[in-house]
């Protein structure tokens, strides 16, 4: 799932274009419809020709509503930049482009709307040249420019094709096992209660999970999940999600709060960051300047502490500490925007490198700057976690080497990750040969394992389980890792191992009436001659190989040799009688076993040889004794 966000000047046709593409009017407020202008965030979704579904966040273009615009663009993967052909580049065109550039949005397309109103090819060429010049040097420098008309439909197929091309090259969003949903809407649904919406980042949410709203730290539970008005059990990263919560009122919630799992994040009022001032900033930024800080869907007042500059000049960047008036939830590598409060103006933006610095730093300290430079690459724990995400399940020794950390630093970081539950260790504790995987990586393994088995069960509903070696081959895992994965899945109650087979814990063989009738007839034949029952070939002919395999797996029957099969309960009675006889007399012969049960030599021999294999008895000449 990916999220597309609109951008562009007021009245350039963003909402009209979204409606033309999706059939959904993103303007949901009565005031928006009366003023024919987007005021707050609007939402829609689009199914591309390939079947790929995309969420759309429609943002307001008017300068008075930039705050609302910033609440919606924090989680987008692709920008749909809208510029009217009859007007060209306008003030909010420039500001929205600067914001997307600061937020690091690298994928986008320019829709040159209202092209049906322009009959002069030279004017269109001039507008396109202005756009290319404006976008040069930004993250969207390579965005295609496609003339369209939402009114006539001109250019819409080409626009959809370009969106398809872009999205096919956008990597799937990372599942870091640390879900956070910046809340951008709060409302009530009759009969269901409180609902919040947002773009889910860095992890999954599940129905029934306990979650926490930060700040202020409200604990609640997920009652239901929806995406694009469809009920779902699991919400995945980079999807637009509506979350129905229990035990919390709308009065307790607000835009800018973050829904996450308990204990994953702590609110902060001080962050270390790299800040870039726009070349268009009206003046240098001074130390301790007051700004509005926009982070995800939140906006708070903050002070900018310059750590290496006396003042930051337009176009420059530098290390800063941002001290907020209210607590915020910040993630490392989170992108932010700073704006001047009055007159309202975007000044710059940057990236958070440490959401929880230990203290306020003294300015102009080389050791502080050196530490911040190092943090660009991450803390030891973050470096190790990032390496593990890249490598997937791997032995500890290989992970340590690939991380580039010194051994002592790596061991401490790995232990901390294990204790915090961010990684899973297979086997008995941490050692250089132990396999480790991130919690998100384990979820992927679990999903693959379950999907392979579920598909096998659908394909072969009468088989109790999938052959173990076939499963190993399908998963493509090394032998020891495969064994560790199965052991973990068994301990979690996901799968059950049989004799050479593996099945999902909830899989049950369901025989048809005809198959059950054949089984009943076969078992009746076993009951008529319990010590001289039907052969394996006769059993297979009677019920078929798949049903017969089920009877062995559920221990109704037991196979002693290529041809000899017994009812399991009969076999157990025979074993008990043989063992009792040996204990009494010290030994037993094949002829004695034959006579004990009134059977033939074939069945008696198969029984004794099987007991030898099972290490119950031992052959001494023509006799058996107990091991």
């Amino acid at each position: 799932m990916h999220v597309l966000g609109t951008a562009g000047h007021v009245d350039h046709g963003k909402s009209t274009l979204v409606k033309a593409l999706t059939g959904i009017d993103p303007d949901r407020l009565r005031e928006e419809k009366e003023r024919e202008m987007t005021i707050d965030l609007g939402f829609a979704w689009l199914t591309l020709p390939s079947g790929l579904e995309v969420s759309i966040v429609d943002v307001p273009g008017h300068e008075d509503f930039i705050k609302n615009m910033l609440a919606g663009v924090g989680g987008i993967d692709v920008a749909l930049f809208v510029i009217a052909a009859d007007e060209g580049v306008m003030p909010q065109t420039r500001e929205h482009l600067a914001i997307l550039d600061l937020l690091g949005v690298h994928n986008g397309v320019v829709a040159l709307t209202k092209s049906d109103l322009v009959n002069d090819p030279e004017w269109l060429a001039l507008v396109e040249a202005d756009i290319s010049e404006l976008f040069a040097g930004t993250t969207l420098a390579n965005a295609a420019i496609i003339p369209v008309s939402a009114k006539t439909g001109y250019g819409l197929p080409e626009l959809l094709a370009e969106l398809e091309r872009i999205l096919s090259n956008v990597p799937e969003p990372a599942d870091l096992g640390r879900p956070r949903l910046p809340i951008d809407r709060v409302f009530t649904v009759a009969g269901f209660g409180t609902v919040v919406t947002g773009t889910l980042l860095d992890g999954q949410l599940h129905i029934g999970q306990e979650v926490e709203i930060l700040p202020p730290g409200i604990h609640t539970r997920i009652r239901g999940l929806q995406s694009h008005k469809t009920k779902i059990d699991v919400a995945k990263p980079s999807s637009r999600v509506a979350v129905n919560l229990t035990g919390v009122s709308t009065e307790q919630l607000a835009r800018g709060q973050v829904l996450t799992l308990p204990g994953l994040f702590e609110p902060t009022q001080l962050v270390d960051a790299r800040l870039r001032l726009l070349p268009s900033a009206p003046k240098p930024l001074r130390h301790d300047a007051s700004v509005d800080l926009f982070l995800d869907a939140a906006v708070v007042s903050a002070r900018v502490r310059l750590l290496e500059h006396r003042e930051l000049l337009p176009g420059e960047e530098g290390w800063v500490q941002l001290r907020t008036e209210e607590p915020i939830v910040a993630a490392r590598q989170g992108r932010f925007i700073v704006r001047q409060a009055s007159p309202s103006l975007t000044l710059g933006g940057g990236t958070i490198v440490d959401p929880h610095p230990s203290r306020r730093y003294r300015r102009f300290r080389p050791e502080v700057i050196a530490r911040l430079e190092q943090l660009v690459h991450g803390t030891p724990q973050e470096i190790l976690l990032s390496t593990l995400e890249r490598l997937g399940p791997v032995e500890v020794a290989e992970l340590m080497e690939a991380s580039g950390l010194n051994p002592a630093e790596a061991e401490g970081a790995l232990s901390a990750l294990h204790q915090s539950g961010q990684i899973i260790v297979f086997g008995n504790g941490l050692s250089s040969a132990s396999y480790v995987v991130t919690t998100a990586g384990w979820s992927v393994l679990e999903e693959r394992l379950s999907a392979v088995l579920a598909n096998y069960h659908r394909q072969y509903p009468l088989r109790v389980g999938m052959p173990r070696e076939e499963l190993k081959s399908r998963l493509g895992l090394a032998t020891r890792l495969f064994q560790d994965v199965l052991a973990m899945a068994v301990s979690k109650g996901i799968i059950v191992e049989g004799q050479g087979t593996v099945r999902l814990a909830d899989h049950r063989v369901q025989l048809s009436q005809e198959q059950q009738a054949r089984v009943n007839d076969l078992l009746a034949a076993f009951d008529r001659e319990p010590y001289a029952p039907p052969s394996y070939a006769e059993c297979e002919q009677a019920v078929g190989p798949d049903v017969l395999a089920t009877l062995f797996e559920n221990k109704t029957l037991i196979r002693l040799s290529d041809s000899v099969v017994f009812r399991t309960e009969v076999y157990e009675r025979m074993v008990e009688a043989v063992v009792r006889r040996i204990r009494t007399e010290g030994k037993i012969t094949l002829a004695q076993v034959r006579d004990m049960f009134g059977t033939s030599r074939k069945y008696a021999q198969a029984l004794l040889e099987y007991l030898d294999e099972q290490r119950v008895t031992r052959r001494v000449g023509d006799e058996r004794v107990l091991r």
Side-chain angles (χ1 to χ4, degrees):
M1 184 73 74
H2 294 288
V3 179
L4 180 149
T6 64
H9 193 76
V10 64
D11 201 31
H12 275 203
K14 294 185 294 297
S15 300
T16 304
L17 178 59
V18 169
K19 187 175 181 180
L21 290 172
T22 66
I24 301 170
D25 185 357
D27 285 342
R28 55 190 169 80
L29 303 178
R30 184 172 64 182
E31 186 180 359
E32 290 177 322
K33 299 184 184 300
E34 291 173 351
R35 296 174 62 174
E36 296 184 348
M37 179 176 67
T38 301
I39 296 171
D40 205 347
L41 300 176
F43 306 99
W45 56 92
L46 169 67
T47 302
L48 294 170
S50 67
L52 180 67
E53 204 167 68
V54 184
S55 300
I56 298 178
V57 179
D58 184 40
V59 306
H62 196 283
E63 62 178 337
D64 290 349
F65 306 115
I66 288 288
K67 288 185 177 182
N68 291 343
M69 178 267 185
L70 283 163
V73 296
I76 69 170
D77 304 302
V78 177
L80 176 58
F81 212 112
V82 177
I83 301 175
D86 58 338
E87 289 190 350
V89 173
M90 298 293 282
Q92 262 58 63
T93 307
R94 299 179 184 277
E95 187 166 18
H96 282 204
L97 177 61
I99 288 169
L100 293 174
D101 186 51
L102 291 167
L103 292 176
V105 178
H106 287 84
N107 304 292
V109 58
V110 177
L112 199 56
T113 53
K114 305 186 183 182
S115 294
D116 56 306
L117 302 181
V118 178
N119 297 317
D120 184 354
E122 292 186 7
W123 172 258
L124 275 179
L126 181 62
V127 171
E128 289 189 25
D130 285 347
I131 294 170
S132 296
E133 182 180 351
L134 176 65
F135 278 52
T138 71
T139 54
L140 295 176
N142 297 320
I145 303 171
I146 301 178
V148 299
S149 168
K151 182 178 179 182
T152 67
Y154 170 75
L156 296 188
E158 291 78 7
L159 178 59
L160 288 172
E162 178 61 12
L163 288 172
E164 186 106 63
R165 185 193 69 79
I166 293 170
L167 286 163
S168 67
N169 293 310
V170 175
E172 283 298 310
D175 185 344
L176 306 181
R178 296 172 59 81
R180 57 190 174 94
L181 183 87
I183 295 172
D184 51 38
R185 286 184 67 201
V186 180
F187 54 94
T188 300
V189 175
F192 292 92
T194 300
V195 175
V196 299
T197 69
T199 300
L200 182 60
L201 305 172
D202 297 344
Q204 299 183 2
L205 293 176
H206 302 256
I207 288 179
Q209 272 182 320
E210 183 185 357
V211 292
E212 185 176 19
I213 309 294
L214 298 173
I218 301 169
H219 285 252
T220 177
R221 191 171 294 278
I222 296 177
R223 179 181 181 184
L225 293 168
Q226 281 195 9
S227 184
H228 303 171
K229 293 190 176 180
T230 300
K231 291 182 179 180
I232 55 176
D233 294 326
V234 180
K236 298 193 173 182
S238 198
S239 59
R240 288 291 308 173
V241 184
V243 186
N244 183 201
L245 300 173
T246 62
V248 61
S249 67
T250 55
E251 289 76 17
Q252 295 173 277
L253 307 177
R255 173 180 288 177
Q257 293 173 333
V258 174
L259 183 151
T260 183
L261 302 185
L264 282 187
F265 294 91
E266 290 185 13
T268 181
Q269 289 185 258
L270 187 68
V271 298
D272 294 342
R274 186 75 174 172
L275 174 65
R276 173 160 63 96
L277 204 61
L278 290 172
S280 59
K283 59 184 179 182
L285 185 69
R286 295 184 174 180
H287 175 67
D288 211 34
S290 178
V291 296
D292 285 339
L293 171 67
F294 293 81
L295 177 65
D296 295 327
V299 53
V300 295
S301 297
R303 294 277 182 178
V304 182
R305 304 189 66 250
L306 302 178
L307 299 177
E308 58 178 338
H309 294 82
R310 296 196 179 279
E311 59 181 12
L312 201 60
L313 300 177
E316 284 188 335
E317 60 180 287
W319 291 108
V320 302
Q321 278 193 311
L322 299 170
R323 182 166 50 86
T324 63
E325 290 188 5
E326 301 170 29
I328 57 172
V329 176
R332 187 179 171 275
Q333 297 300 323
R335 296 274 189 158
F336 64 89
I337 299 293
V338 293
R339 302 190 81 236
Q340 180 176 281
S342 182
S344 182
L345 184 69
T346 299
L347 299 176
T351 306
I352 293 170
V353 297
D354 189 350
H356 296 280
S358 57
R359 66 187 188 283
R360 290 176 60 183
Y361 307 129
R362 295 182 63 179
R363 300 176 68 196
F364 311 117
R365 291 295 181 127
E367 67 275 14
V368 169
I369 303 304
R371 176 185 174 275
L372 293 174
E373 295 283 358
Q374 184 184 30
L375 281 177
V376 171
H377 305 289
T379 65
Q381 288 186 43
E382 289 163 341
I383 292 171
L384 212 56
L385 199 59
S386 175
T387 306
L388 187 53
E389 287 162 1
R390 175 170 55 85
L391 295 178
V394 67
E395 288 184 348
V396 168
E398 185 179 344
L399 173 63
M400 299 293 202
E401 183 177 352
S403 70
L405 299 170
N406 69 63
E409 199 172 37
E411 286 177 12
L414 190 67
S415 178
L417 289 172
H418 188 206
Q419 290 176 9
S420 65
Q422 296 181 67
I423 65 170
I424 289 174
V425 179
F426 294 112
N428 298 318
L430 277 170
S431 70
S432 61
S434 299
Y435 275 99
V436 290
V437 68
T438 64
T439 51
W442 166 253
S443 295
V444 172
L445 277 175
E446 184 181 318
E447 287 179 8
R448 281 179 58 204
L449 174 64
S450 298
V452 169
L453 288 174
N455 184 59
Y456 187 87
H457 294 328
R458 283 192 297 270
Q459 192 173 0
Y460 303 106
L462 295 181
R463 297 184 185 178
V464 173
M466 186 176 189
R468 183 185 172 98
E469 286 304 310
E470 184 178 347
L471 177 60
K472 177 175 176 290
S473 176
R474 294 274 188 95
L475 294 176
L477 301 177
T479 300
R480 191 161 57 80
L481 176 58
F482 174 69
Q483 293 169 346
D484 286 344
V485 168
L486 288 196
M488 178 72 73
V490 168
S491 71
K492 290 180 174 290
I494 300 165
I495 64 169
V496 174
E497 285 195 85
Q499 291 185 342
T501 63
V502 182
R503 65 175 173 85
L504 289 174
D506 59 357
H507 173 65
R508 299 290 183 273
V509 173
Q510 297 291 332
L511 300 181
S512 67
Q513 287 185 346
E514 181 185 354
Q515 289 165 337
Q516 188 62 56
R518 290 181 179 181
V519 167
N520 293 342
D521 289 343
L522 177 63
L523 296 181
F526 272 84
D527 292 340
R528 283 193 297 271
E529 295 286 345
Y531 302 115
S535 69
Y536 179 87
E538 290 170 333
C539 292
E540 191 173 59
Q541 186 177 8
V543 298
D546 289 343
V547 174
L548 183 56
T550 299
L551 295 177
F552 288 135
E553 184 67 28
N554 65 22
K555 301 188 186 315
T556 301
L557 302 178
I558 184 169
R559 187 178 184 179
L560 304 191
S561 70
D562 289 343
S563 62
V564 175
V565 177
F566 279 106
R567 283 289 294 262
T568 302
E569 59 192 42
V570 171
Y571 162 76
E572 290 172 349
R573 289 202 305 266
M574 295 172 77
V575 173
E576 184 180 348
V578 168
V579 170
R580 186 168 57 246
R581 177 76 172 261
I582 297 174
R583 282 177 178 161
T584 301
E585 300 183 5
K587 59 187 177 181
I588 198 168
T589 64
L590 188 152
Q592 288 173 325
V593 171
R594 181 195 62 198
D595 295 342
M596 279 175 65
F597 301 111
T599 186
S600 71
R601 177 183 178 85
K602 177 181 75 169
Y603 294 107
Q605 183 172 346
L607 174 64
L608 289 176
E609 288 178 353
Y610 188 77
L611 292 180
D612 291 344
E613 291 175 12
Q614 299 301 307
R615 303 181 67 81
V616 176
T617 58
R618 177 168 57 88
R619 182 172 180 171
V620 179
D622 291 333
E623 299 169 336
R624 259 69 176 193
V625 296
L626 292 179
R627 280 193 179 271

